[in-house]
Amino acid sequence: MEVRTFRAVTMRDALFKVRQELGDEAVIIETKTESSRGVFGLGGRPYVEVLAGREEPPAAPQPAAAAAGVYDHRGRPAGSALRHSIVRAVEQQTDAGELSKIKEDLSWIKTALEGISRGGRPGLLPDELEEAYTYLLEQDVAGDIARRLVYKVQTDFPEEQLRDRTVIRQQLAAVLRQTCGRCEPIVEHHGRATKVAFVGPTGVGKTTTVAKLAADFSLVRKKKVAVITIDTYRIAAVEQLKTYMDIMGIPLAVVGSPEEMPAAMNRFSAADIILIDTAGRSQKDDTNLGLLKQFLAAAAPDETHLVLSTTVNYRQTMDIIERFGSVGVSKILFTKLDEAVNFGLMLSVLAKMNKQLSYVTTGQSVPDDVQPADSETVARLVLGGFSHG
Ligand SMILES: Nc1nc2c(ncn2[C@@H]2O[C@H](COP(=O)(O)OP(=O)(O)OP(=O)(O)O)[C@@H](O)[C@H]2O)c(=O)[nH]1
Ligand SMILES: [Mg+2]
């Protein structure tokens, strides 16, 4: 098999080159996104690299009409053989854990191919959409997500409309909202105590957020709230929470081992809501993560919110997400929006994780600086500086 590497700014461009040079029978062996700056003359943007091969000699030259658009030389819709090759290649490489990621990638590769077979200008975005794409990258939206968002806008609208920045902004906002998905704060189970745990790395604001939410449920919504902390590593951390709880008259239990958890739960069985704060050291070592899992298994929370800071970069955040994946996260909570340089991280995480965003926090003040999340706000924050023109 003849194997070659193709590089381009977008996956769409790379696949166009593959198809141009290796024909419809090309097999995609590997795709990856690189982010080194200023290489290959691509102006410092992320670029994609596609490793592709050809199993058989190139077919006879295609008639001009087929090459230009809708049908290929075998009378199939253009791009269909390449699409099948990609599916084959993906099936061969599939590993269960990677399946959803591959499906996601495949869906936007298909979108790109559909754009090509509809006769779009391959590899070229209208200037205004190119600006939107660059803007999203500047907001630290992950390269593959930014491309997918822009392709979605491009394929949903006729090209003439994509000259209008207002249309692009509106459509991009809609695609961003869709990408964020439905946000959902804590869902209370009436007639029994709703148990909610907060996990995440050190210093992201778990304890502060627990204090804020405890205050909101207790003082504003008049619920019976109890708090459990399994942060037994540091006296100061327990003291911090105890001070808040004493001020608000909310009972606090310090649980030192998973075996002590049932007694604490019994003690608070009459509560409407039990918030569980955890120690943040865990993600760095597997023993601590294992222990955290045992605590959570004993607590059997209805929801486990992974607390992430908007001040941490994308790569570190993805590492954190991977490490905490094993503890069974159900929702995402973002803190420190007041300190964030931009908001692309939130969008990238939500696009990759397929989990609901529950709350965002916007400062150190207890109880004020917390609010239920909504996708409208996330879209507005990400697009904040993308002007109407
Ligand atoms: N600017 C800002 N600071 C915050 C926010 N939330 C928490 N903090 C601050 O972040 C610092 C760490 O907060 P904690 O609540 O102790 O963090 P934690 O996740 O419980 O930390 P560990 O228990 O060490 O894992 C404190 O100084 C908080 O005041 C926020 O939304 N914005
Ligand atoms: Mg803490």
Side-chain angles (χ1 to χ4, degrees):
M1 180 193 277
E2 180 192 350
V3 175
R4 291 177 50 192
T5 302
F6 297 83
R7 294 190 185 92
V9 176
T10 66
M11 180 58 77
R12 181 188 185 122
D13 298 1
L15 292 177
F16 186 74
K17 282 188 194 170
V18 171
R19 187 162 161 240
Q20 245 187 353
E21 297 189 24
L22 296 183
D24 273 356
E25 296 307 323
V27 175
I28 308 301
I29 297 160
E30 187 178 78
T31 66
K32 59 183 173 188
T33 304
E34 296 293 342
S35 55
S36 11
R37 304 205 149 242
V39 287
F40 305 115
L42 295 178
R45 286 195 198 141
Y47 64 93
V48 293
E49 192 173 279
V50 174
L51 193 64
R54 179 169 54 194
E55 284 169 332
E56 55 185 62
Q62 299 179 19
V70 189
Y71 294 103
D72 70 10
H73 61 292
R74 293 184 185 171
R76 298 170 302 195
S80 68
L82 180 53
R83 203 171 304 152
H84 290 308
S85 302
I86 293 171
V87 172
R88 264 207 321 274
V90 165
E91 278 170 358
Q92 280 161 11
Q93 290 179 35
T94 299
D95 149 339
E98 289 286 290
L99 193 60
S100 67
K101 167 90 181 64
I102 289 172
K103 274 188 183 157
E104 207 175 81
D105 286 349
L106 190 58
S107 115
W108 74 261
I109 289 172
K110 277 167 80 176
T111 307
L113 284 168
E114 275 153 21
I116 293 173
S117 42
R118 276 170 29 176
R121 288 189 303 153
L124 283 179
L125 290 172
D127 288 348
E128 290 76 3
L129 212 47
E130 187 76 38
E131 264 176 45
Y133 172 64
T134 308
Y135 174 81
L136 290 173
L137 293 182
E138 283 166 5
Q139 297 309 299
D140 287 335
V141 174
D144 55 339
I145 305 292
R147 273 192 297 279
R148 199 190 318 157
L149 296 170
V150 167
Y151 277 134
K152 182 95 180 74
V153 175
Q154 189 182 24
T155 49
D156 283 356
F157 277 81
E159 196 169 324
E160 4 7 306
Q161 283 193 35
L162 296 177
R163 300 275 169 220
D164 183 337
R165 273 202 187 79
T166 312
V167 171
I168 291 181
R169 194 183 193 285
Q170 280 169 356
Q171 183 57 13
L172 205 50
V175 173
L176 257 62
R177 285 197 298 274
Q178 206 183 354
T179 305
C180 281
R182 198 166 62 86
C183 298
E184 188 178 82
I186 292 168
V187 177
E188 285 181 76
H189 297 267
H190 299 286
R192 67 174 176 87
T194 303
K195 298 178 276 182
V196 186
F198 297 84
V199 301
T202 307
V204 286
K206 295 179 298 297
T207 303
T208 315
T209 304
V210 165
K212 289 170 183 173
L213 290 174
D216 182 58
F217 276 95
S218 167
L219 307 178
V220 181
R221 300 179 204 208
K222 311 291 179 204
K223 301 285 179 183
K224 276 183 274 172
V225 179
V227 172
I228 290 176
T229 178
I230 59 171
D231 190 348
T232 57
Y233 297 106
R234 297 156 306 157
I235 297 298
V238 175
E239 283 304 314
Q240 174 195 5
L241 197 53
K242 191 164 180 348
T243 307
Y244 284 127
M245 296 307 117
D246 284 349
I247 293 168
M248 295 187 278
I250 293 173
L252 169 73
V254 180
V255 169
S257 72
E259 292 71 33
E260 293 173 25
M261 189 61 84
M265 288 296 174
N266 278 341
R267 183 181 150 199
F268 296 144
S269 59
D272 297 315
I273 181 152
I274 302 173
L275 302 174
I276 304 163
D277 187 21
T278 64
R281 302 196 324 191
S282 319
Q283 85 280 3
K284 281 290 169 199
D285 90 57
D286 292 342
T287 316
N288 277 338
L289 259 188
L291 191 58
L292 177 64
K293 264 197 302 207
Q294 288 175 31
F295 271 109
L296 291 178
D302 297 290
E303 300 179 8
T304 300
H305 297 222
L306 175 59
V307 182
L308 298 170
S309 167
T310 45
T311 62
V312 175
N313 74 32
Y314 176 69
R315 194 177 286 259
Q316 284 171 312
T317 302
M318 292 318 283
D319 184 46
I320 289 162
I321 287 171
E322 200 182 320
R323 287 167 181 277
F324 277 92
S326 65
V327 308
V329 168
S330 49
K331 291 180 181 172
I332 305 288
L333 189 156
F334 269 108
T335 60
K336 309 196 184 184
L337 269 67
D338 54 310
E339 288 185 353
V341 177
N342 55 47
F343 301 95
L345 176 78
M346 292 170 74
L347 189 73
S348 305
V349 166
L350 294 171
K352 300 252 172 186
M353 271 196 85
N354 198 21
K355 301 268 181 221
Q356 289 162 326
L357 182 61
S358 57
Y359 297 90
V360 292
T361 78
T362 52
Q364 292 179 294
S365 165
V366 177
D368 298 328
D369 295 337
V370 64
Q371 62 189 69
D374 71 278
S375 54
E376 178 79 47
T377 307
V378 177
R380 212 178 42 243
L381 287 171
V382 175
L383 286 179
F386 187 56
S387 83
H388 288 265

